[in-house]
Amino acid sequence: MTAPRPGDPLLDGPHDPEHDPRASYVLEPSHVASLTGRIVATTGRTAEVRSPVNDAPLAHVPQSSPEDVAEAFARARTAQQVWAGTPAEARAEVLLRFHDLVLERAEEVMDLICWESGKARTHAFDEIGHVALTARYYARTGAGTLARRRVPGVVPGLTRVEVNRVAKGVVGVISPWNYPFTMALCDGVAAVMAGNAVVLKPDAQTMLTALLGVELLELAGAPRGLWQVVAGPGPEIGGAVVAHADYVCFTGSTATGRRIAAGCAERLIGCSLELGGKNPMLVLADADVERAAEGAVRASFSNAGQLCVSTERIFVADAVYEAFVDRFVARTQALSLGAGTGWGIDVGSLVSAAQLEKVTAHVDDAVAHGAAVLTGGRHRPDLGPYVFEPTILEGVNPSMACFAEETFGPVVALHRFTDEADAVARANEGDFGLNAAVFGRDAAHARRVARALHCGTVNVNEGFAATFGSIAAPMGGMRSSGLGRRQGAEGLLRFTESQSVATQRLLPLAPSLGLDDRRYAVALTAALRAMKRLGRA
């Protein structure tokens, strides 16, 4: 992949790409063809992908039909039958090579992430780190987690029990646009480590980034048929993914997640769903104001707020409210905005016109109903088609759309509190429960507050990165924020079925040695009492 050179006729207008960060980005045609050639698609239809950086075309992506989805699953099943018999240690070696390739090709991957999603390069790097961490974690721990294990049998010495972990088969992954590299790969990496194949349907806006990830995985040694890719609108082919998968991973809206869960329930297959959030942050009375303000900026405005675990509500204790607001506003106003692929941009672009419309509507509605804009609140077309200023609102109330609805943009509302228990109760309001943050100098007390929050992940003195980057810790939502967990042992074992194999020795679990039914029951009762006295589980 190369950037265009000055004078290249494919440049979008007269921009010099060495000086204009919004100059068009052109992929090598042969590489585009190689990437899109991985898509299982026979319809003859294509969809144009345009960059939110400057609205320039990036590629025409072949579109799949439901029949193509069925074919992708058939191919994946063939490959999975061989892969399931590959030792876990050999699968781990593939993931370790993938880890190295992701780091070696990081600049290229970040370029493509920026051009397809519009995010700042520093947040594109977050994806590089997360995918590498995920691959390494499962490569190092996967064999042990999946290993056959012994558990106690019903009769000590007579009953031997082993528990095996059996791969589900073919996992369907439906990934979003906001983190196009990590969300397309992190679930599938664990699935592959567990012995499964994958059929991936990335979001239409970020197909090329996902395809580049699959290319790197195959360069690392994964069999080509093991990871299939389909493309098309969710309403057209999403149902086909659910209809053929043995397990489904979905990251996206709660409304779509509910439909996927219903489809999985109909087929009696499992699913894991990371859905929406209206994530709270609590700044306690003893918080380090400067640290809390810095954390709030990253928690609220990373990836222009287009992050499932992004903070959208901040509850601040009276004792530090004024000082916190002063520092939070000042730090927000110091952020650099823009659309491009270079370092130095703090807040990048929204991904699309639809996302810009939603963010603008939430801010306009809040202002119309009496909220105050402390900073931001404006679309900045001078910086990029969909750039919107980081926005801090005060006075948000239930009459406003942004009070309870997820904005999924660079907009955060401030709320003052006097009583800590009341702040916890307000933070727990609503149906969501994905991520939260607590800032306070007394870390032990902050952790106690964290345990009272109804969220799947809670960060103390950090916004989201501490839990998100700790791959050994499970991550997911409560309530309407989802089902299941990615990361940690849970994130691997979800892709397996447990199989118990018990071997009975010498005596059957039935009357024997001349005992009739009654005397057998008496003997078994005595044995049960003895095992309790011995402390046996």
Side-chain angles (χ1 to χ4, degrees):
M1 299 179 184
T2 60
R5 296 176 297 277
D8 191 323
L10 292 176
L11 282 175
D12 181 33
H15 308 302
D16 179 348
E18 294 183 2
H19 299 98
D20 187 344
R22 289 193 286 153
S24 178
Y25 177 71
V26 180
L27 307 180
E28 293 286 357
S30 61
H31 199 180
V32 172
S34 173
L35 291 176
T36 58
R38 296 173 178 278
I39 300 170
V40 182
T42 61
T43 64
R45 294 184 288 111
T46 63
E48 185 180 59
V49 176
R50 302 182 75 88
S51 174
V53 172
N54 59 359
D55 200 35
L58 293 175
H60 289 79
V61 176
Q63 300 294 282
S64 306
S65 66
E67 291 75 23
D68 291 326
V69 175
E71 174 62 22
F73 274 93
R75 295 179 189 178
R77 289 193 191 285
T78 299
Q80 191 269 336
Q81 291 172 6
V82 176
W83 183 249
T86 302
E89 293 76 11
R91 297 180 214 147
E93 288 300 318
V94 172
L95 295 193
L96 289 175
R97 289 193 293 271
F98 176 62
H99 168 280
D100 293 344
L101 280 170
V102 167
L103 297 181
E104 290 169 12
R105 303 273 292 271
E107 296 297 331
E108 176 184 357
V109 176
M110 287 189 289
D111 279 347
L112 191 48
I113 291 172
C114 292
W115 284 108
E116 280 201 306
S117 72
K119 68 174 59 182
R121 195 174 192 83
T122 185
H123 301 136
F125 179 75
D126 291 345
E127 302 200 47
I128 301 297
H130 188 261
V131 170
L133 283 168
T134 301
R136 177 162 51 83
Y137 173 78
Y138 285 119
R140 297 297 192 200
T141 66
T145 302
L146 297 168
R148 179 183 297 114
R149 62 187 179 92
R150 289 279 300 274
V151 298
V154 60
V155 181
L158 299 183
T159 310
R160 173 193 172 108
V161 182
E162 300 171 338
V163 178
N164 302 318
R165 306 303 308 197
V166 180
K168 293 272 189 183
V170 182
V171 173
V173 176
I174 303 175
S175 63
W177 49 260
N178 63 320
Y179 276 74
F181 194 61
T182 193
M183 291 294 102
L185 295 167
C186 66
D187 289 320
V189 162
V192 165
M193 182 64 216
N196 299 278
V198 171
V199 173
L200 168 66
K201 192 202 89 62
D203 186 86
Q205 177 68 35
T206 52
M207 286 294 305
L208 298 178
T209 300
L211 288 164
L212 179 56
V214 175
E215 178 182 82
L216 296 181
L217 191 67
E218 290 174 359
L219 288 173
R224 176 147 190 174
L226 192 69
W227 196 305
Q228 301 287 316
V229 182
V230 294
E236 292 184 18
I237 66 170
V241 173
V242 175
H244 293 281
D246 299 306
Y247 188 92
V248 175
C249 293
F250 171 76
T251 304
S253 72
T254 297
T256 301
R258 292 184 191 278
R259 291 194 292 272
I260 289 173
C264 291
E266 182 68 25
R267 296 191 54 232
L268 297 179
I269 63 170
C271 61
S272 55
L273 313 169
E274 185 189 306
L275 308 178
K278 193 69 179 175
N279 305 305
M281 173 184 290
L282 276 65
V283 181
L284 306 182
D286 71 334
D288 179 326
V289 168
E290 197 66 39
R291 182 173 183 180
E294 186 276 333
V297 167
R298 287 188 292 106
S300 304
F301 305 130
S302 289
N303 199 31
Q306 299 168 120
L307 172 60
C308 296
V309 292
S310 180
T311 294
E312 295 198 8
R313 301 178 293 154
I314 303 180
F315 299 89
V316 186
D318 273 328
V320 295
Y321 187 85
E322 301 298 340
F324 172 81
V325 171
D326 179 68
R327 296 307 304 142
F328 184 34
V329 170
R331 281 183 169 274
T332 300
Q333 291 174 340
L335 295 172
S336 62
L337 282 64
T341 64
W343 298 101
I345 296 173
D346 296 319
V347 179
S349 174
L350 296 171
V351 75
S352 65
Q355 203 64 20
L356 174 64
E357 181 180 357
K358 181 178 182 181
V359 171
T360 303
H362 270 202
V363 173
D364 289 349
D365 172 75
V367 171
H369 287 84
V373 177
L374 300 187
T375 190
R378 296 184 301 157
H379 174 210
R380 293 294 300 275
D382 55 312
L383 299 176
Y386 312 126
V387 173
F388 195 92
E389 292 177 339
T391 301
I392 302 173
L393 299 176
E394 193 176 50
V396 169
N397 62 57
S399 70
M400 305 169 188
C402 70
F403 180 82
E405 294 178 21
E406 184 178 33
T407 303
F408 216 67
V411 179
V412 64
L414 297 176
H415 304 272
R416 187 190 293 255
F417 73 85
T418 301
D419 181 71
E420 196 172 89
D422 175 64
V424 170
R426 290 160 66 189
N428 284 334
E429 286 178 348
D431 295 330
F432 294 120
L434 187 56
N435 182 64
V438 181
F439 280 79
R441 283 190 171 90
D442 184 343
H445 176 69
R447 286 192 292 271
R448 289 192 293 273
V449 173
R451 288 193 291 272
L453 297 173
H454 300 160
C455 294
T457 55
V458 186
N459 298 262
V460 173
N461 292 325
E462 173 57 49
F464 63 86
T467 51
F468 190 71
S470 299
I471 309 299
M475 178 185 175
M478 298 180 182
R479 300 182 289 175
S480 293
S481 288
L483 300 171
R485 296 292 184 267
R486 63 165 54 99
Q487 304 189 171
E490 293 176 56
L492 183 65
L493 294 178
R494 61 181 164 154
F495 297 121
T496 67
E497 301 282 5
S498 59
Q499 178 195 57
S500 298
V501 177
T503 303
Q504 187 63 23
R505 300 164 171 156
L506 301 177
L507 299 174
L509 292 174
S512 59
L513 299 177
L515 297 177
D516 59 19
D517 290 350
R518 184 184 65 80
R519 285 186 291 175
Y520 172 74
V522 170
L524 188 56
T525 298
L528 292 172
R529 287 174 173 156
M531 285 188 283
K532 177 179 179 289
R533 286 194 299 271
L534 293 171
R536 183 178 171 85

